[in-house]
Structure formats: C-alpha cells, structure tokens
Amino acid sequence: MTEGVVYVGQKPVMNYVLATLTQFNEGAERVVLKARGKAISRAVDVAEIVRNRFLPNVEVESIKIDTEELESEQGRKVNVSTIEIVLAKKSE
Amino acid sequence: MTEGVVYVGQKPVMNYVLATLTQFNEGAERVVLKARGKAISRAVDVAEIVRNRFLPNVEVESIKIDTEELESEQGRKVNVSTIEIVLAKKSE
C-alpha cells in the first residue's frame, strides 16, 4: 500500500492539485495533504478540486486537526493550527 | 441534546471562541463550527483554541469538507470550499 504526502503552502492551488494527481497516477493508494496556518483553506480546496473535478473515485478518508508550537525569529513560542486530509482510492 | 452553530467569518478569532464557549456554557452538548473559503483556517484555529486553552473536556467529534456553488455579482458561478467541525463534550 503506497502512501504519498503533499505539503500545501502558499503557491497557487493547482500546483498542489497536480502534485496530488501525479502521486495517484504513479500508484499511490492514499495521498495525505498537510498544511498549517493560512494554507489550511488551500488544502481543503485541493481535496475538493481533486475529488470533484479530476478523480471521482477518490474520497476523503479522514481529516485531523492539531496544533504545533513554532518558535518565532524573536524566540517567542507561537501556536499554529495544522490539518491532515487523507485522500484514498475507493475500494471497488 | 442541544446543538449550537457558530458561523466563522472574517472577525478576530477570539470573537468566535467566545461565541463557542458561551454556547457550551448555556448547555449545548455539541457546537458546529461552519466556515467557507479563507475563513476555513480560522475555524480550525477556533476549534484548537477552545479545546486546548478553555475546555479540555471538549473534543473534535467529526470534520466534514464540501463545496458550495455561489453566484458572483457578475452572475458567474464560483465554487467555494466549506468545512464543518463538530465539537462535543466528552461523555464521562
């Protein structure tokens, strides 16, 4: 069972859609979209576009949210929210 | 079983945290955070702050993502991603 990961950041949403499609085409059964902070909305867009527009046989298997503690440049601790969206091929 | 809803938009995150805490304090067993587009990241922040900082006995029961079709002012159809995060008091 191959599993891929796509880190969703600040680039245009279609970059990440393409990365996800590529991983499924190369045989991944499951692709995990990971994002934090403001990129979280974009990760949801990626999941929805992949599913609705390109791969109807892929479904959202699970969604997990969490908090990570980062250190800012001034050495201050900052909490940032994270999301993990697991996309998986439907078993037929 | 009382259920509340908080629509998360563009206001500061603590506004929505407070709205969520108020609903739990008034007896809700479950509060659903709903957001779309760029406010999705903020909804995740609200869930994480409520859980980690204020109500440790509240957990994320489920997370659902979807797509809504809106009509722009020019009459064009635009797809926007949505999220629903269900927060629930842990059964003890």
Side-chain angles (χ1 to χ4, degrees), chain A residues 7-8 32-41 43-44 62-70 78-85, chain B residues 40-49 51-52 60 63 83 85:
Chain A
Y7 293 93
V8 178
V32 186
L33 304 173
K34 297 190 183 197
R36 51 190 190 190
K38 288 189 182 163
I40 287 175
S41 315
V44 173
S62 67
I63 304 176
K64 223 176 55 187
I65 61 175
D66 207 348
T67 300
E68 258 178 47
E69 201 179 64
L70 300 181
V78 184
N79 286 328
V80 61
S81 301
T82 64
I83 198 167
E84 281 190 26
I85 303 172
Chain B
I40 287 175
S41 317
R42 191 167 293 116
V44 173
D45 289 341
V46 173
E48 286 294 299
I49 292 170
R51 233 159 44 91
N52 293 329
V60 176
I63 305 177
I83 199 167
I85 303 172

Side-chain angles (χ1 to χ4, degrees), chain B residues 13-74:
Chain B
V13 68
M14 291 312 281
N15 290 37
Y16 305 107
V17 170
L18 193 66
T20 307
L21 297 178
T22 304
Q23 300 214 7
F24 276 120
N25 284 336
E26 285 173 352
E29 292 289 314
R30 210 177 242 97
V31 176
V32 186
L33 305 174
K34 297 190 183 196
R36 52 189 189 191
K38 287 189 183 161
I40 287 175
S41 317
R42 191 167 293 116
V44 173
D45 289 341
V46 173
E48 286 294 299
I49 292 170
V50 167
R51 233 159 44 91
N52 293 329
R53 223 188 291 171
F54 295 102
L55 298 176
N57 69 325
V58 159
E59 64 188 351
V60 176
E61 193 179 68
S62 67
I63 305 177
K64 224 177 55 186
I65 61 175
D66 206 348
T67 301
E68 259 178 46
E69 200 177 65
L70 299 182
E71 199 156 333
S72 73
E73 287 173 28
Q74 293 81 34

